[in-house]
Structure formats: C-alpha cells, structure tokens
Amino acid sequence: MPIKTIIMGAAGRDFHNFNTFFRGNKDYEVVAFTATQIPDIEGRLYPKELAGDLYPKGIPIHAEEELLDLIKKHGAEQVVFSYSDVPHEYVMHKASMVNAAGADFRIMGTHHTQIKSTKPVVSISAVRTGSGKSQTTRRVALILKEMGYKVAAIRHPMPYGNLVAQEVQRYASYDDLDEYQCTIEEREEYEPHIDSGVIIYAGVDYEKIIRKAEAEADIILWDGGNNDFPFYVPDLQIVVADPHRTGHESTYYPGETNVRMADVFVINKVDTADAENVIKLRENLRKLNPNATQIEAASPLFVDDPDAIQGKRVLVIEDGPTLTHGEMAYGAGYIAARRFGAKEIVDPRPFAVRSIAATYVKYPKTGPILPAMGYGDAQTKDLEETINASDVDLVIIGTPIDLSRVMKITKPHQRVRYELQEIGQPTLLDVLMKKFGRK
C-alpha cells in the first residue's frame, strides 16, 4: 500500500518536492497539501494537469491549521515539511505535533529534490529573507555578462494565481508582467532583472523551466526565495548573510543548510550594521563552514531627491516578506528617512485597513513601517488605501519596484534604490573569474 502523505508548504518548495519526488511515485499517495505564510492560497487544488496520472482529481490545498484533522481524516502516515525561513524551534514544534498525531515527520534534502542542469549554475541563497539576494543576483549577472556570458535567471516560485497557466513563465519585458497578472511580490523580484536586461524564468515545474532556460543561456542563475536552498545542483553556491541578524545563521531553517553548503559568503550591509555584529557573523560562519570564501559588501542607497526628505513627516514602505516572516523591523526606506533628515517616521497602523490591518495582527513585531503586501488585487487595493489615508507629507518607497506603477499614490513620494557593492577583497569578480574565466 502506498504511504499516505501530507506536504506542508507555502506554494513553492512544497510543489517542487512533489514534482521531483512524489509525482508518478506509486510508493506514496499525497492526500493533501497544507499552506501557510501566503494569504489566500488554501482552499484550492494542485491541478490534475500538474499532479500527473496518479491524481486525476488533483490534490486539495488546505490551511495549515487543519493539519491534525487531515492526519486523522486520511490516516496519513507521513508529513513532509516543505517551506522556509522559520526558527529551528518552530520546525520541531511542528514535528512534535505530527509525531503526537501518529505520523512520521520528514524534511527532504538535496538528493531527491535538486535537478541537474546541462549548463553551469550559480545559485544565490541566504541565511534569512531580506539579506540581499536580489541585488547580489543582479551583481553576479552583470559581472558574468561583462565576462562575455549570456545569462538567464530562474527565480524561486511564487505561483499565487492559475497554476496551470504559471507552469513555465518567461519574463523579458514589463508587458510579460502584465500578461501573467503578477502580484507586487512577484514584480519586486522580476522587474529589477528586466531593468538589467536579464531574462528571468519562474513558475511551478522547475524541470521544464530549466530546460527552457538552458536553450538561451550559457550560465543559469538561481535567484533563491526566502532562505530556501537551491532547486538545482549548483556549480557555485553563494549565500548572503545579514549582520543585522547575527546569530540567525545557526538558528533558522533552512538557512543553516545553505550556510553549511556555501562556497562563498557575501556578508552584506556592513555599511549600516554594528561592527561587532559583522565580526561575530564572520566568526560564526567560519565555525559552520571554514572552507567558504567570505566577501564583505554594502548596499548603498540612492534617492532621486534627498533634500525633499529633510524635515518631512514620512510614511516608510518596505518589502512585505522582509518585515513579516523575515522579522526585520526596518529596511532601506527607514535608513534613508533617518539619513536624510526626516522630521518624523509616522506609524501607519492607525490608517491600516482590512488585510493590511490583519497583517499587523499576525506579525505584531512589525513596527511603524508599512509592509508592501500585495498578494492579489484586493490586498493591493488595501495597501493603496492605507497609503493614501496616512497623514504624512511624503511617502518613502523602499521596495524593489516603483509602487506607483501598480497603484495610484496621491501623496508625494520618493523611491529608494539599492545595489550591491563589494568592500575590499576578495570580490565577486575574483570568485567568478576563478571559476569560469572569460568566455
């Protein structure tokens, strides 16, 4: 009899684990997915078109809160934990719940889940979400292009819409973003690549995705999500660490997995972090992985009109996942507001409506900063209403995209941009030249 299995996820790693190991595997019967972290993904089906011949009706997706009932209802023998950016203690609490309900608890590693590419793969992962993967990926892409290589980036999945239509996605222009009806979270990851002239792929079926990307690139970049480990076997694994959260490199899953597998560490944000935390982070990383190369880097800020910030009462908007499950209290927008002399950073919580207000309830550690939550049209409208209702002189947008492209902001606003800049030696160029040389 096949082993009845439930996969715990968040519309990303869970689908990938299913596709690479469980789909077509008659030794297992996946009776359900559970979902968390991402709003409104439960109550759907993993569709039959993607689930394969063993699942002619598809596979139901339930809220994670139903997990114990689902184990009992289906007589599940195994639960597979398949999402990221959570404390080790959190994972073991889930394991204890599952074991107490009678089922085995499983975490899958690289052997059964990583896909081998026919082209070299450079992966960029992180200790925590919000460490600076995106600007590191853009920096690596620029260097490889200057070395003469054609590069394609593949982004960790964010399939929040029609899963069949999103099986394989290719983005080369803003029109592609509109065609796929991308959420704010998706645009934050894709737009900067498009701006840099790098083609980016994403979707649901990462075997099909890599085969498409291989046809038009010399080197593949894996642009990781959260702190998940790569879906592909990397030829060079770069892991970004954040000295604003020193200590998390050994206390969060699966960030520690990345740390132990890394070939290169990029210790980012050294320009804004406490020097003692930078030193301690270097020591911690060396203890966990003494053979990895360590690179220090900054994420310098660029603002169109810094003088416009001085003396103003401002609303600061930051990347949503970084503030919520990433547990960062602030980001580039907050730093810009302080650096350029804002009179006051206004707390947005009194102006928050509906799903944005609910986000503050779910993530109470999020301080007087507005997370740019936009998992669908309704939440984007809630974000727009919250911004425009805020009693401020100026809005500072610290997200990777221009929010004014996807909503109407009636307040004066300034964007904050940031890129990766290595400090001293070695540099990413040194590492990439040693690995690949010029084409």
Side-chain angles (χ1 to χ4, degrees), residues 14-30:
D14 48 349
F15 297 160
H16 178 71
N17 284 354
F18 172 81
N19 292 340
T20 54
F21 183 76
F22 293 100
R23 183 170 59 190
N25 190 336
K26 294 182 180 180
D27 292 333
Y28 299 89
E29 179 189 355
V30 176

Side-chain angles (χ1 to χ4, degrees), residues 84-85 123-141 155-156 188-189 193 221-229 238-242 245 258 266 268-269 299 319 321-322 325-326 418-420 428:
S84 54
D85 210 32
S123 69
I124 293 89
S125 306
V127 172
R128 294 296 313 279
T129 192
S131 295
K133 296 184 302 295
S134 296
Q135 57 262 47
T136 304
T137 304
R138 295 196 297 272
R139 176 67 178 148
V140 171
R155 180 59 171 74
H156 189 276
E188 285 181 346
E189 302 301 335
H193 284 295
L221 294 185
W222 170 253
D223 186 354
N226 274 359
N227 63 348
D228 203 356
F229 55 88
I238 299 170
V239 175
V240 187
D242 185 352
R245 289 173 283 182
N258 286 323
V266 172
N268 193 20
K269 308 179 189 177
S299 292
D319 172 63
T322 299
H325 57 264
Y418 41 90
E419 296 295 338
L420 189 85
L428 285 168

Side-chain angles (χ1 to χ4, degrees), residues 68 76 145 147 166 207 224 229 248 345 403:
L68 296 182
K145 287 172 67 178
M147 289 166 58
Q166 293 180 314
E207 173 81 37
F229 55 88
H248 289 200
I345 296 174
L403 287 178

Side-chain angles (χ1 to χ4, degrees), residues 93-168:
H93 280 311
K94 297 298 181 182
S96 298
M97 290 171 56
V98 169
N99 288 167
D104 295 340
F105 186 83
R106 180 176 183 180
I107 300 175
M108 300 187 72
T110 59
H111 180 74
H112 289 299
T113 64
Q114 283 189 332
I115 299 166
K116 179 65 177 174
S117 175
T118 62
K119 298 291 178 71
V121 173
V122 177
S123 69
I124 293 89
S125 306
V127 172
R128 294 296 313 279
T129 192
S131 295
K133 296 184 302 295
S134 296
Q135 57 262 47
T136 304
T137 304
R138 295 196 297 272
R139 176 67 178 148
V140 171
L142 176 62
I143 293 170
L144 289 173
K145 287 172 67 178
E146 291 177 344
M147 289 166 58
Y149 290 100
K150 190 172 183 182
V151 175
I154 300 179
R155 180 59 171 74
H156 189 276
M158 294 186 287
Y160 308 139
N162 183 320
L163 297 180
V164 176
Q166 293 180 314
E167 183 179 21
V168 177

